Amino acid sequence: MIIEQQNILFSKWQEKRKYNDFIKDGVFCEEEYVKQPLKILYVLKEANWNGSVNLCEWILSEPKSGYWRTWNNIARWTKALIEGGEYPHYVSKTDKSYWVKKIAFLNLKKVGGGAKANKDEISEYAIRDKKFIKEQILLYNPDVIICCGRGQGKNADLLYNEVLTLSLIHI
């Protein structure tokens, strides 16, 4: 039900904004996500991607353990939050796939970017799409939201100042 609603939202979002390319994110595995004792949502800036893609499907199917900095860290953090224990220094592709299936994630900018995010561009997209972003967050009903990224342009500030304070009455 979450993934079905998520896909309806993404279609509406892409059509309303007239984005030629659209990067889908969200819940990796609805069955796993809904049974977690702690629902975790990671908020990222943008994907280093050109074109349209379903990142959940791609990350789970990638032949190597790429995107290692981001996704291996997310796997580590997820493990720590859900079960605690020893910090895994090595994350295999199997480990990464196992842990990311338990979470949801979203990019503030649904159009691809480069290896280094442009804070002004991320901010423009987040502000323009704030109603859609909030609707996406509400679909996941997370217990914890973790804002990822470093450098200038803080996801937490954008989320708090522009999105979470927004009333959804007029969507």
Side-chain angles (χ1 to χ4, degrees):
M1 184 152 168
I2 293 173
I3 290 178
E4 183 180 319
Q5 291 175 328
Q6 169 184 283
N7 289 335
I8 292 168
L9 173 63
F10 291 158
S11 292
K12 180 173 68 171
W13 194 335
Q14 184 175 11
E15 183 180 320
K16 175 91 173 168
R17 293 293 182 238
K18 307 221 182 306
Y19 294 150
N20 291 327
D21 297 322
F22 192 87
I23 297 178
K24 295 179 181 178
D25 44 33
V27 171
F28 284 90
C29 176
E30 185 171 351
E31 183 179 341
E32 282 295 314
Y33 181 77
V34 298
K35 70 181 184 183
Q36 295 312 306
L38 187 66
K39 309 271 184 304
I40 304 168
L41 170 65
Y42 292 90
V43 177
L44 295 90
K45 294 177 182 178
E46 67 182 358
N48 183 2
W49 196 274
N50 290 316
S52 293
V53 68
N54 181 322
L55 272 183
C56 294
E57 291 174 2
W58 186 83
I59 289 165
L60 290 174
S61 70
E62 68 176 317
K64 61 185 183 343
S65 188
Y67 278 106
W68 64 272
R69 286 186 183 140
T70 300
W71 292 103
N72 288 359
N73 283 332
I74 286 174
R76 288 179 180 107
W77 300 333
T78 301
K79 178 190 182 301
L81 287 166
I82 291 176
E83 76 175 23
E86 189 175 318
Y87 180 84
H89 291 282
Y90 174 76
V91 177
S92 69
K93 169 144 176 29
T94 302
D95 295 336
K96 180 176 66 173
S97 295
Y98 177 82
W99 288 107
V100 300
K101 285 180 180 177
K102 299 175 182 317
I103 59 126
F105 82 103
L106 69 84
N107 285 296
L108 294 172
K109 181 181 167 208
K110 297 292 197 246
V111 176
K116 187 173 180 178
N118 178 315
K119 73 176 181 95
D120 294 330
E121 193 173 281
I122 302 298
S123 182
E124 286 175 31
Y125 275 88
I127 291 168
R128 180 174 46 234
D129 291 344
K130 62 187 172 184
K131 291 180 182 179
F132 292 113
I133 294 168
K134 184 156 187 184
E135 190 174 339
Q136 186 178 6
I137 292 169
L138 291 174
L139 280 177
Y140 308 140
N141 192 27
D143 298 308
V144 175
I145 298 174
I146 299 173
C147 295
C148 303
R150 57 184 208 179
Q152 296 181 345
K154 305 294 186 224
N155 289 354
D157 291 341
L158 274 170
L159 206 59
Y160 181 78
N161 293 330
E162 299 294 339
V163 178
L164 296 178
T165 58
L166 174 71
S167 168
L168 284 178
I169 294 171
H170 301 312
I171 286 189

